[in-house]
PDB file of all heavy atoms in Angstrom:
ATOM      1  N   MET A   1      12.809 -10.762  15.079  1.00 78.00           N
ATOM      2  CA  MET A   1      12.601  -9.396  14.652  1.00 78.00           C
ATOM      3  C   MET A   1      12.205  -9.420  13.180  1.00 78.00           C
ATOM      4  O   MET A   1      12.861 -10.042  12.361  1.00 78.00           O
ATOM      5  CB  MET A   1      13.898  -8.612  14.866  1.00 78.00           C
ATOM      6  CG  MET A   1      13.816  -7.169  14.527  1.00 78.00           C
ATOM      7  SD  MET A   1      15.339  -6.260  14.888  1.00 78.00           S
ATOM      8  CE  MET A   1      14.908  -5.574  16.463  1.00 78.00           C
ATOM      9  N   THR A   2      11.118  -8.745  12.865  1.00 80.00           N
ATOM     10  CA  THR A   2      10.655  -8.721  11.480  1.00 80.00           C
ATOM     11  C   THR A   2      11.483  -7.737  10.655  1.00 80.00           C
ATOM     12  O   THR A   2      12.202  -6.896  11.208  1.00 80.00           O
ATOM     13  CB  THR A   2       9.171  -8.316  11.393  1.00 80.00           C
ATOM     14  OG1 THR A   2       9.041  -6.960  11.820  1.00 80.00           O
ATOM     15  CG2 THR A   2       8.300  -9.222  12.242  1.00 80.00           C
ATOM     16  N   ASP A   3      11.331  -7.839   9.356  1.00 81.00           N
ATOM     17  CA  ASP A   3      12.077  -6.943   8.475  1.00 81.00           C
ATOM     18  C   ASP A   3      11.688  -5.484   8.703  1.00 81.00           C
ATOM     19  O   ASP A   3      12.537  -4.601   8.705  1.00 81.00           O
ATOM     20  CB  ASP A   3      11.902  -7.340   7.014  1.00 81.00           C
ATOM     21  CG  ASP A   3      10.447  -7.493   6.589  1.00 81.00           C
ATOM     22  OD1 ASP A   3       9.538  -7.219   7.411  1.00 81.00           O
ATOM     23  OD2 ASP A   3      10.212  -7.906   5.446  1.00 81.00           O
ATOM     24  N   GLU A   5      10.644  -4.203  11.512  1.00 86.00           N
ATOM     25  CA  GLU A   5      11.228  -3.797  12.789  1.00 86.00           C
ATOM     26  C   GLU A   5      12.710  -3.465  12.627  1.00 86.00           C
ATOM     27  O   GLU A   5      13.222  -2.562  13.285  1.00 86.00           O
ATOM     28  CB  GLU A   5      11.037  -4.885  13.837  1.00 86.00           C
ATOM     29  CG  GLU A   5       9.607  -5.051  14.301  1.00 86.00           C
ATOM     30  CD  GLU A   5       9.403  -6.263  15.187  1.00 86.00           C
ATOM     31  OE1 GLU A   5      10.129  -7.259  15.039  1.00 86.00           O
ATOM     32  OE2 GLU A   5       8.508  -6.197  16.044  1.00 86.00           O
ATOM     33  N   THR A  57       9.079 -13.631   5.191  1.00 74.00           N
ATOM     34  CA  THR A  57      10.329 -13.746   5.932  1.00 74.00           C
ATOM     35  C   THR A  57      10.300 -14.992   6.817  1.00 74.00           C
ATOM     36  O   THR A  57       9.247 -15.607   7.027  1.00 74.00           O
ATOM     37  CB  THR A  57      10.545 -12.516   6.829  1.00 74.00           C
ATOM     38  OG1 THR A  57       9.526 -12.497   7.817  1.00 74.00           O
ATOM     39  CG2 THR A  57      10.522 -11.236   6.018  1.00 74.00           C
ATOM     40  N   ILE A  58      11.440 -15.337   7.347  1.00 78.00           N
ATOM     41  CA  ILE A  58      11.529 -16.469   8.274  1.00 78.00           C
ATOM     42  C   ILE A  58      10.646 -16.206   9.484  1.00 78.00           C
ATOM     43  O   ILE A  58       9.940 -17.105   9.957  1.00 78.00           O
ATOM     44  CB  ILE A  58      12.994 -16.703   8.695  1.00 78.00           C
ATOM     45  CG1 ILE A  58      13.793 -17.217   7.497  1.00 78.00           C
ATOM     46  CG2 ILE A  58      13.080 -17.691   9.857  1.00 78.00           C
ATOM     47  CD1 ILE A  58      15.279 -17.334   7.738  1.00 78.00           C
ATOM     48  N   ASP A  59      10.657 -14.965   9.983  1.00 80.00           N
ATOM     49  CA  ASP A  59       9.814 -14.622  11.128  1.00 80.00           C
ATOM     50  C   ASP A  59       8.338 -14.826  10.803  1.00 80.00           C
ATOM     51  O   ASP A  59       7.575 -15.308  11.648  1.00 80.00           O
ATOM     52  CB  ASP A  59      10.058 -13.172  11.557  1.00 80.00           C
ATOM     53  CG  ASP A  59      11.420 -12.963  12.177  1.00 80.00           C
ATOM     54  OD1 ASP A  59      11.957 -13.934  12.762  1.00 80.00           O
ATOM     55  OD2 ASP A  59      11.946 -11.842  12.070  1.00 80.00           O
ATOM     56  N   GLU A  60       7.936 -14.485   9.602  1.00 78.00           N
ATOM     57  CA  GLU A  60       6.545 -14.681   9.208  1.00 78.00           C
ATOM     58  C   GLU A  60       6.200 -16.162   9.133  1.00 78.00           C
ATOM     59  O   GLU A  60       5.107 -16.582   9.514  1.00 78.00           O
ATOM     60  CB  GLU A  60       6.267 -13.982   7.878  1.00 78.00           C
ATOM     61  CG  GLU A  60       6.298 -12.466   7.978  1.00 78.00           C
ATOM     62  CD  GLU A  60       6.299 -11.763   6.635  1.00 78.00           C
ATOM     63  OE1 GLU A  60       6.743 -12.347   5.625  1.00 78.00           O
ATOM     64  OE2 GLU A  60       5.855 -10.603   6.605  1.00 78.00           O
ATOM     65  N   TRP A  61       7.144 -16.978   8.652  1.00 75.00           N
ATOM     66  CA  TRP A  61       6.946 -18.431   8.626  1.00 75.00           C
ATOM     67  C   TRP A  61       6.766 -18.961  10.040  1.00 75.00           C
ATOM     68  O   TRP A  61       5.881 -19.774  10.309  1.00 75.00           O
ATOM     69  CB  TRP A  61       8.145 -19.139   7.984  1.00 75.00           C
ATOM     70  CG  TRP A  61       8.032 -19.307   6.508  1.00 75.00           C
ATOM     71  CD1 TRP A  61       8.753 -18.640   5.565  1.00 75.00           C
ATOM     72  CD2 TRP A  61       7.168 -20.171   5.794  1.00 75.00           C
ATOM     73  NE1 TRP A  61       8.369 -19.038   4.321  1.00 75.00           N
ATOM     74  CE2 TRP A  61       7.404 -19.983   4.425  1.00 75.00           C
ATOM     75  CE3 TRP A  61       6.205 -21.092   6.187  1.00 75.00           C
ATOM     76  CZ2 TRP A  61       6.714 -20.691   3.441  1.00 75.00           C
ATOM     77  CZ3 TRP A  61       5.516 -21.796   5.202  1.00 75.00           C
ATOM     78  CH2 TRP A  61       5.774 -21.589   3.852  1.00 75.00           C
ATOM     79  N   ILE A  62       7.608 -18.520  10.945  1.00 80.00           N
ATOM     80  CA  ILE A  62       7.531 -18.992  12.333  1.00 80.00           C
ATOM     81  C   ILE A  62       6.183 -18.637  12.936  1.00 80.00           C
ATOM     82  O   ILE A  62       5.549 -19.479  13.588  1.00 80.00           O
ATOM     83  CB  ILE A  62       8.697 -18.406  13.169  1.00 80.00           C
ATOM     84  CG1 ILE A  62      10.016 -19.015  12.705  1.00 80.00           C
ATOM     85  CG2 ILE A  62       8.471 -18.648  14.659  1.00 80.00           C
ATOM     86  CD1 ILE A  62      11.250 -18.354  13.298  1.00 80.00           C
ATOM     87  N   ILE A  63       5.724 -17.411  12.717  1.00 82.00           N
ATOM     88  CA  ILE A  63       4.425 -16.996  13.241  1.00 82.00           C
ATOM     89  C   ILE A  63       3.308 -17.864  12.660  1.00 82.00           C
ATOM     90  O   ILE A  63       2.423 -18.333  13.383  1.00 82.00           O
ATOM     91  CB  ILE A  63       4.159 -15.504  12.947  1.00 82.00           C
ATOM     92  CG1 ILE A  63       5.115 -14.641  13.796  1.00 82.00           C
ATOM     93  CG2 ILE A  63       2.723 -15.125  13.210  1.00 82.00           C
ATOM     94  CD1 ILE A  63       5.146 -13.186  13.396  1.00 82.00           C
ATOM     95  N   MET A  64       3.345 -18.111  11.362  1.00 77.00           N
ATOM     96  CA  MET A  64       2.326 -18.945  10.734  1.00 77.00           C
ATOM     97  C   MET A  64       2.336 -20.350  11.311  1.00 77.00           C
ATOM     98  O   MET A  64       1.282 -20.933  11.594  1.00 77.00           O
ATOM     99  CB  MET A  64       2.540 -19.012   9.202  1.00 77.00           C
ATOM    100  CG  MET A  64       2.095 -17.775   8.502  1.00 77.00           C
ATOM    101  SD  MET A  64       2.236 -17.793   6.681  1.00 77.00           S
ATOM    102  CE  MET A  64       2.787 -19.377   6.233  1.00 77.00           C
TER     103      MET A  64
END
Side-chain angles (χ1 to χ4, degrees):
M1 183 177 262
T2 66
D3 52 4
E5 289 172 331
T57 65
I58 291 173
D59 290 332
E60 291 168 335
W61 271 109
I62 291 171
I63 291 168
M64 284 183 4

